[in-house]
Amino acid sequence: MTNKPANSTLRVKEVNENQCHMCMPLGGVIAFKGIEGAMVLVHGSQGCSTYMRLANVEHFHEPVDIASSSLNEKQTILGGEKNLNKALDNVLRVYQPTMLGILTTCLAETMGEDMDRMIRAYLQEHPNLGVEIISVATPSYRGTHSEGFWATTRAIIAHYARVCESHNRINVIIPNISPADIREIKRIMGLFGVEYTLIPDFSMTLDRPYGGRYQKIPTGGTSPADVSRMPGAPVTIQFGLTCPDALSPGLYLEQQFGVRLINLPIPIGVDNVDQFIAALSHICGKPVPEQLTLERGWLLDGMADAHKYNAEGRPAIYGEPEMVYALTGVCIENGAEPVVIASGSPHSKLKDLVRPMVSDLAEQPFLIEEADFASIEHAAVSAGATIGVGHSGGKFLTERHGIPVTRVGYPIHDRIGGQRIFSAGYAGTLAFLDRFTNTLLEQKYGSYREKKKDEMALNRVM
Amino acid sequence: MSMSEEMMGDMLEKYPEKVLKNRKKHITIVDTSQACQQIEANTRTIPGIITQRGCAYAGCKGVVVGPIKDMVHIVHGPVGCSYYAWGTRRNKARADENTPADKVVSTLCVTTDMQESDIVFGGEKKLARMIDEVVEAFHPRAISICATCPVGLIGDDIGAVAKAAQDRHGIQVLSFNCEGYKGVSQSAGHHIANNNLMEHVIGTGPDRDPNDRYVINILGEYNIGGDGWEMERILGDIGYKVNCVLTGDTSILEIKNLHQAHLNLVQCHRSINYIAEMMETKYGTPWLKVNFIGVEATKKTLREMALCFGDEALIQKTEEIIAREEARIMPVIEHYRKICQGKTAFAFVGGSRSHHYMHLLRDLGMEVVVAGYEFAHRDDYEGRQVIPSIKIDADSKNIPELHLTPDAEKFQEAHVHLNMSKEKFDELNKQVPLSYYEGMQPDMKDGEVMIDDCNHHELERMVRTLRPDLVFAGVRDKYFVQKLGVPGKQMHSYDYSGPYAGFNGAMNFARDITNAMTTPAWKLVTAPWEKQNQQ
Ligand code: SF4
Ligand code: SF4
């Protein structure tokens, strides 16, 4: 096993069997939902938007409203402007959003819909609407939901950002992480007492506490006024190492407005969190708060306790590139050397980033881009993976091969609480690690009993 | 509380004028003193309104074709369409004597995952290569190809690719042009799927064994949560031979033999009535609308079935099984009925279920006060007698109709299928409504509401004003209903429960909805200190 080629990459087959990724507008929906007062409209036939509601609702267990322009056969020939206009009339009237995000589907893009022109015409015809309309091209044949998330976040910033006086609110740009993790990142920044604009903040819009009045557009989200002032920030922290340059919101702010970009991994894992904390401490010129030092201590204590179990783990890590990168770090840090590292996304920088991390490992893992679960499964089985780490798509590893999965990332469709999975910061990392270690232990003792039973049965026969 | 015209006005007031007029036609407050109350259905969804509807592809692949267990279903399109229809309806399937485990391949989610170059240069070659890989890897008995929106636009000829692959590999390759933009909802996809199965699969198996008795098909049963298995259990005990369940836990082999049945049962009328009708034309097979959801409904269905065969022994056996099952389940049902009695529900599901579940809820003493469908047609609301008067609009015209004639060899008169004289059959027809469905309306009471293609805004307003105890909808609407303090039950895949059909299903259902309505969490919403403040 040890002299496997440095990496065995890529799906060589045409067939995408059991997908590891979803479609581009889906990621865009999540990003838009992180803006205050936002509603989303998907320009295309209605199936896409209905399916996207389904995929998001099953993950967040929250209402996720997405309107559609409901294109029919006729419009595929004549163009969709009339329907788009009707959709705008209705959705603006019934929802009264202050921002409307429009995402295109593969159909609209294949038809070659000129979104900018149509939206301009609509706004001209309806002055004083009091709503900002932001449209993003998201054909899925050009990217996965991860790219859709970045592209949309970038478009939102590009729409609002204005040159302004410098201030000391820092910019924080996050990838598709759980609302629980967003809250943790905010808490950490709160401990430093630093002011920030975090975008897109869907921690309240897609994970609402029970009680109070139900509102069609929930309160919360990044305020557009804050977004417009992002160009005046001293610095941008972006958790987007794998984000392609062309889609990178932080890079946009740097190139257009000269805001220095600090690109960091998602703060999961000691090293990754350290980088975040060090950056914060440096930016505010303050020492690390005592509370965080304690939390770091608890984490290390936990790692020391668990290392003997974790060192036996052979994880197969898969999912969105940014999450996979961070999780790879955590696993290596804990002696659980990954045997498969895979992402469905074809466009990220994941492979180049991960390669130096794994080059010293005793066994070279499979690195798979454009992965589907057929390729992940194949790699996991042939590399003798003992645990899967990723979203619910990996249930096949368990069902077919008895490889348990620690669920983390997006989407979680077969368990409750996807929106609450807590893995960021020192405290979150420890929570993740406990889940990971306990999954291994459960497997170990589960099969231990089985082995014992077999042994005893054998003894009886003899 | 029932709905008044005034409440309806309040609900619709927020719409622009044209939308208001349109939506009004889709809502009926039931008034039994009026002879025929017409409802508009199966027309275009208003853009920008949060509809519950999906697309033609969802109806074709997601509902009808997807469950066929020994086929690999290839989705030709960009990645999302395929991912989203992956196992979402929880159609259960297992190996059986016709289909060994290695032939059960329907859980695979396979797509061409089109990329930009495929959109520009066409995806036919990729699709063809992919079929080769699928054949090599899985050796399926047959393959389906479902096209999604962009494919229709770029003009890939999936029919030709299928034909060539069929010749190359010697297995059946069916192609479905079910692009999502066709028609106005899933309904178009049902029709496309029905046509294709009728044209290319049904009737290609061997002829009926003349010694077989009481052979039936259950059409429009998708075995969600194991519903179909519960039906088969009951029917098997009575002495029926279930030839094929279309398409829950079924195989292409069984669909080929569909013509062998003496009688077709139709569970979901909306999605499968085309095949029932076409089989009647081509083979003369009579069909009976059944409902296995609800204790009383199941009993009625079983009794009507027995009458169809007119055999004393069968009638007797039916009563025996009903008595046996009732003795077993009624104490449980009674227990739950005490809790559910007098409560109200809303039901918005699919194109048949809202009606089916009215019966089960009535068994439990509950009343459905607002009912509607996502993608039904007028006949599902008002009854099949209205079919001749339904306007065919441009959207429906785009779905080709198959014009069939009686099969020269296999056609038999309905009474011959049922092994009875013409006179006796005519007599039967007076007692049991064969080839007929009366729709949901006759089961609704004054002041109750029928609403077609209900959207998010309307649902919210109705929940706020009528305060039902339970709402049956899709998962997309479940959570906002719960935010309003009303438990929601997702009825597409049963919230991971089931079966809900037949006698065992009624018990499961009673337990599940009782739990939903009485879960202690609802009482804990207000914190003790808030309660003190309120006093
Ligand atoms: S057409 Fe494109 S946008 Fe729509 S569901 Fe399919 S992949 Fe997603
Ligand atoms: S692209 Fe078309 S077929 Fe695919 S989900 Fe959207 S509406 Fe349905």
Side-chain angles (χ1 to χ4, degrees):
Chain A
M1 280 286 224
T2 22
N3 45 14
K4 210 185 308 160
N7 57 64
S8 329
T9 42
L10 267 176
R11 225 166 8 104
V12 283
K13 297 184 297 177
E14 292 293 345
V15 28
N16 188 315
E17 178 196 333
N18 297 349
Q19 292 85 62
C20 185
H21 61 287
M22 291 181 282
C23 68
M24 199 167 175
L26 181 73
V29 168
I30 299 174
F32 273 134
K33 291 282 175 187
I35 305 301
E36 192 180 87
M39 177 62 191
V40 188
L41 172 80
V42 171
H43 186 44
S45 9
Q46 73 208 11
C48 309
S49 101
T50 297
Y51 275 135
M52 284 174 225
R53 285 176 73 199
L54 182 73
N56 272 327
V57 162
E58 293 213 313
H59 174 81
F60 290 105
H61 294 258
E62 284 285 323
V64 183
D65 294 358
I66 306 170
S68 166
S69 53
S70 298
L71 297 185
N72 283 100
E73 189 142 20
K74 206 165 113 200
Q75 288 96 41
T76 64
I77 304 157
L78 302 177
E81 184 159 15
K82 249 176 90 186
N83 270 44
L84 180 68
N85 288 349
K86 274 193 214 160
L88 287 169
D89 286 348
N90 290 322
V91 77
L92 295 180
R93 185 147 173 169
V94 174
Y95 278 78
Q96 302 181 326
T98 48
M99 192 215 88
L100 181 73
I102 303 183
L103 296 159
T104 54
T105 63
C106 306
L107 177 69
E109 291 293 332
T110 311
M111 285 161 62
E113 292 281 272
D114 185 347
M115 300 305 292
D116 286 344
R117 187 196 58 71
M118 294 191 294
I119 293 166
R120 232 180 301 124
Y122 185 86
L123 289 173
Q124 261 161 21
E125 245 173 72
H126 303 79
N128 313 321
L129 265 183
V131 61
E132 298 287 327
I133 300 182
I134 305 175
S135 141
V136 191
T138 45
S140 297
Y141 47 76
R142 224 177 275 157
T144 70
H145 62 293
S146 312
E147 283 84 41
F149 183 97
W150 288 123
T152 304
T153 305
R154 186 180 186 278
I156 298 167
I157 294 175
H159 181 90
Y160 285 111
R162 296 284 176 277
V163 177
C164 65
E165 268 174 43
S166 337
H167 51 77
N168 47 24
R169 247 182 130 92
I170 65 167
N171 300 326
V172 180
I173 299 170
I174 58 160
N176 184 14
I177 54 178
S178 75
D181 285 345
I182 302 178
R183 288 195 285 267
E184 177 65 5
I185 288 170
K186 287 163 73 170
R187 184 186 70 95
I188 291 172
M189 293 190 293
L191 289 173
F192 274 99
V194 62
E195 283 196 67
Y196 58 86
T197 299
L198 182 143
I199 182 171
D201 184 358
F202 48 92
S203 63
M204 283 299 277
T205 50
L206 291 179
D207 187 16
R208 294 211 55 74
Y210 197 86
R213 253 189 89 236
Y214 164 74
Q215 290 161 299
K216 276 204 179 78
I217 298 179
T219 47
T222 316
S223 110
D226 290 346
V227 182
S228 74
R229 285 164 43 79
M230 288 178 87
V235 67
T236 300
I237 294 180
Q238 173 173 277
F239 302 114
L241 284 188
T242 61
C243 177
D245 288 350
L247 303 179
S248 168
L251 199 61
Y252 169 83
L253 283 167
E254 184 167 79
Q255 286 169 346
Q256 295 291 314
F257 302 101
V259 187
R260 185 163 65 94
L261 170 65
I262 305 179
N263 219 357
L264 297 178
I266 303 175
I268 302 179
V270 180
D271 186 35
N272 295 342
V273 185
D274 282 352
Q275 290 183 44
F276 176 44
I277 302 293
L280 278 178
S281 168
H282 183 78
I283 292 164
C284 338
K286 286 185 193 167
V288 175
E290 170 68 15
Q291 176 65 24
L292 289 173
T293 314
L294 288 176
E295 287 170 15
R296 192 176 190 280
W298 281 313
L299 170 56
L300 279 153
D301 197 52
M303 285 167 69
D305 294 346
H307 81 274
K308 57 176 185 243
Y309 308 116
N310 291 332
E312 287 173 23
R314 300 171 63 80
I317 306 168
Y318 58 85
E320 295 194 72
E322 200 57 43
M323 188 53 91
V324 168
Y325 177 81
L327 293 171
T328 302
V330 193
C331 287
I332 294 178
E333 224 168 52
N334 284 282
E337 298 186 351
V339 292
V340 179
I341 300 169
S343 173
S345 178
H347 304 293
S348 80
K349 301 177 179 172
L350 179 67
K351 209 154 65 177
D352 292 339
L353 285 163
V354 154
R355 210 170 268 142
M357 295 168 70
V358 300
S359 60
D360 287 345
L361 300 186
E363 246 179 75
Q364 281 304 295
F366 285 95
L367 296 181
I368 320 174
E369 279 189 321
E370 272 189 87
D372 61 2
F373 274 101
S375 58
I376 295 173
E377 223 177 292
H378 181 80
V381 170
S382 66
T386 56
I387 183 168
V389 182
H391 56 75
S392 57
K395 63 180 182 202
F396 290 96
L397 296 172
T398 316
E399 283 170 10
R400 297 208 190 123
H401 309 287
I403 303 171
V405 172
T406 297
R407 281 169 179 68
V408 56
Y410 175 93
I412 306 294
H413 283 164
D414 64 346
R415 293 287 189 277
I416 202 130
Q419 76 277 45
R420 289 185 293 269
I421 293 183
F422 175 41
S423 324
Y426 298 122
T429 303
L430 187 52
F432 166 79
L433 200 63
D434 286 345
R435 293 195 302 269
F436 177 87
T437 313
N438 285 333
T439 308
L440 285 172
L441 286 177
E442 221 160 276
Q443 185 78 348
K444 184 180 167 122
Y445 292 127
S447 44
Y448 168 80
R449 277 200 295 272
E450 231 155 70
K451 265 189 225 147
K452 257 293 176 255
K453 217 166 61 196
D454 288 348
E455 263 173 38
M456 275 151 58
L458 215 66
N459 285 341
R460 226 173 295 142
V461 175
M462 292 192 310
Chain B
M1 194 201 239
S2 62
M3 178 109 142
S4 63
E5 289 285 344
E6 199 190 332
M7 280 179 202
M8 184 156 95
D10 282 351
M11 175 169 91
L12 302 180
E13 156 210 83
K14 211 165 186 183
Y15 294 138
E17 190 57 30
K18 261 180 141 174
V19 177
L20 188 150
K21 262 204 186 137
N22 175 317
R23 285 302 303 156
K24 238 185 148 159
K25 289 189 239 162
H26 293 264
I27 307 172
T28 304
I29 300 177
V30 175
D31 175 358
T32 46
S33 67
Q34 288 187 40
C36 47
Q37 285 182 292
Q38 192 173 321
I39 188 165
E40 192 151 295
N42 192 36
T43 54
R44 285 185 194 170
T45 305
I46 298 165
I49 294 249
I50 318 291
T51 172
Q52 304 177 323
R53 283 176 171 179
C55 58
Y57 155 77
C60 179
K61 153 77 169 48
V63 175
V64 181
V65 180
I68 304 172
K69 64 185 171 189
D70 53 354
M71 294 176 83
V72 170
H73 305 292
I74 298 176
V75 178
H76 186 37
V79 69
C81 316
S82 171
Y83 189 98
Y84 296 139
W86 187 2
T88 41
R89 275 174 47 94
R90 292 183 64 242
N91 317 96
K92 296 201 167 194
R94 61 187 170 201
D96 56 28
E97 67 279 9
N98 290 324
T99 310
D102 66 325
K103 289 287 173 211
V104 179
V105 286
S106 56
T107 49
L108 294 168
C109 186
V110 178
T111 174
T112 44
D113 187 6
M114 291 176 102
Q115 300 297 312
E116 190 132 36
S117 59
D118 304 318
I119 298 285
V120 177
F121 301 111
E124 290 176 15
K125 287 208 186 91
K126 185 175 193 180
L127 176 63
R129 282 198 303 271
M130 183 160 156
I131 295 173
D132 298 345
E133 285 180 7
V134 162
V135 171
E136 194 187 334
F138 305 109
H139 309 289
R141 287 196 187 130
I143 288 175
S144 79
I145 303 167
C146 290
T148 75
C149 288
V151 170
L153 225 60
I154 62 173
D156 276 1
D157 186 348
I158 61 168
V161 176
K163 173 85 191 28
Q166 189 160 305
D167 295 344
R168 208 160 56 242
H169 297 294
I171 60 168
Q172 193 157 31
V173 182
L174 298 172
S175 65
F176 296 85
N177 277 104
C178 55
E179 287 87 349
Y181 55 71
K182 291 197 169 157
V184 299
S185 67
Q186 288 94 317
S187 178
H190 303 147
H191 199 165
I192 291 166
N194 275 240
N195 284 351
N196 206 337
L197 292 178
M198 190 68 203
E199 204 173 358
H200 300 293
V201 187
I202 296 168
T204 55
D207 282 344
R208 180 192 292 165
D209 180 340
N211 296 321
D212 274 348
R213 300 182 73 192
Y214 318 134
V215 183
I216 53 151
N217 298 319
I218 313 176
L219 309 183
E221 168 49 47
Y222 303 102
N223 201 33
I224 290 163
D227 276 353
W229 292 335
E230 167 68 359
M231 297 179 193
E232 285 186 73
R233 177 186 74 88
I234 300 167
L235 295 171
D237 283 357
I238 295 175
Y240 292 101
K241 180 174 174 211
V242 180
N243 177 53
C244 176
V245 177
L246 202 67
T247 52
D249 190 26
T250 199
S251 67
I252 188 122
L253 294 185
E254 287 161 36
I255 301 177
K256 287 181 177 173
N257 299 343
L258 214 65
H259 62 293
Q260 293 175 1
H262 300 121
L263 176 69
N264 275 329
L265 310 183
V266 172
Q267 173 72 11
C268 171
H269 175 259
R270 181 68 268 131
S271 64
I272 218 79
N273 76 89
Y274 315 96
I275 284 180
E277 226 181 303
M278 289 188 283
M279 283 184 70
E280 192 172 17
T281 309
K282 189 166 177 185
Y283 307 112
T285 321
W287 65 268
L288 175 70
K289 173 72 183 85
V290 296
N291 179 16
F292 284 94
I293 303 294
V295 180
E296 290 305 314
T298 302
K299 281 158 62 182
K300 175 165 177 260
T301 285
L302 294 175
R303 287 178 174 140
E304 286 185 348
M305 285 176 65
L307 284 179
C308 285
F309 290 95
D311 181 323
E312 265 317 311
L314 192 69
I315 293 172
Q316 184 126 44
K317 187 75 190 171
T318 301
E319 292 305 326
E320 256 170 51
I321 297 293
I322 289 177
R324 179 193 83 188
E325 294 288 308
E326 278 200 310
R328 186 170 62 89
I329 69 156
M330 283 323 272
V332 180
I333 299 280
E334 255 332 298
H335 166 77
Y336 290 115
R337 200 220 309 257
K338 284 194 197 109
I339 305 167
C340 299
Q341 185 78 41
K343 296 201 186 319
T344 58
F346 288 2
F348 309 94
V349 213
S352 292
R353 286 196 187 172
S354 298
H355 185 201
H356 295 160
Y357 278 87
M358 278 178 197
H359 293 96
L360 180 45
L361 286 162
R362 275 196 190 140
D363 292 339
L364 296 166
M366 287 179 67
E367 189 63 25
V368 176
V369 290
V370 180
Y373 292 130
E374 280 168 52
F375 46 73
H377 297 200
R378 272 183 61 202
D379 38 317
D380 303 301
Y381 293 99
E382 302 171 52
R384 279 181 75 91
Q385 73 284 355
V386 303
I387 291 178
S389 66
I390 295 178
K391 284 200 305 282
I392 310 279
D393 59 13
D395 297 307
S396 317
K397 252 188 235 146
N398 287 338
I399 319 294
E401 290 277 340
L402 286 187
H403 296 285
L404 298 178
T405 46
D407 188 283
E409 282 150 31
K410 298 192 175 88
F411 181 87
Q412 289 176 325
E413 295 287 344
H415 68 91
V416 182
H417 280 280
L418 294 177
N419 195 22
M420 59 175 67
S421 67
K422 181 82 177 73
E423 294 70 43
K424 207 170 159 208
F425 179 78
D426 291 340
E427 217 27 61
L428 167 71
N429 234 330
K430 283 179 208 148
Q431 274 180 292
V432 175
L434 284 166
S435 314
Y436 182 68
Y437 176 44
E438 59 173 0
M440 70 155 60
Q441 190 161 2
D443 276 313
M444 298 194 72
K445 298 183 183 150
D446 284 332
E448 294 179 352
V449 181
M450 283 199 308
I451 179 162
D452 177 64
D453 188 17
C454 180
N455 59 55
H456 195 289
H457 165 71
E458 291 162 7
L459 180 51
E460 182 193 333
R461 291 302 293 266
M462 289 190 293
V463 170
R464 282 188 197 276
T465 41
L466 300 177
R467 301 298 305 173
D469 297 290
L470 192 58
V471 171
F472 297 98
V475 70
R476 294 177 291 271
D477 296 302
K478 171 178 167 160
Y479 295 100
F480 98 82
V481 166
Q482 297 201 153
K483 296 272 179 205
L484 292 169
V486 175
K489 175 105 186 99
Q490 97 102 316
M491 287 309 289
H492 291 277
S493 67
Y494 299 170
D495 279 330
Y496 298 94
S497 186
Y500 287 161
F503 299 109
N504 287 338
M507 285 197 292
N508 291 338
F509 180 81
R511 179 199 62 217
D512 286 356
I513 64 161
T514 304
N515 288 345
M517 291 188 292
T518 60
T519 179
W522 299 116
K523 294 203 194 83
L524 299 171
V525 169
T526 315
W529 54 90
E530 285 172 349
K531 276 187 202 146
Q532 272 162 19
N533 291 347
Q534 280 166 6
Q535 277 162 8

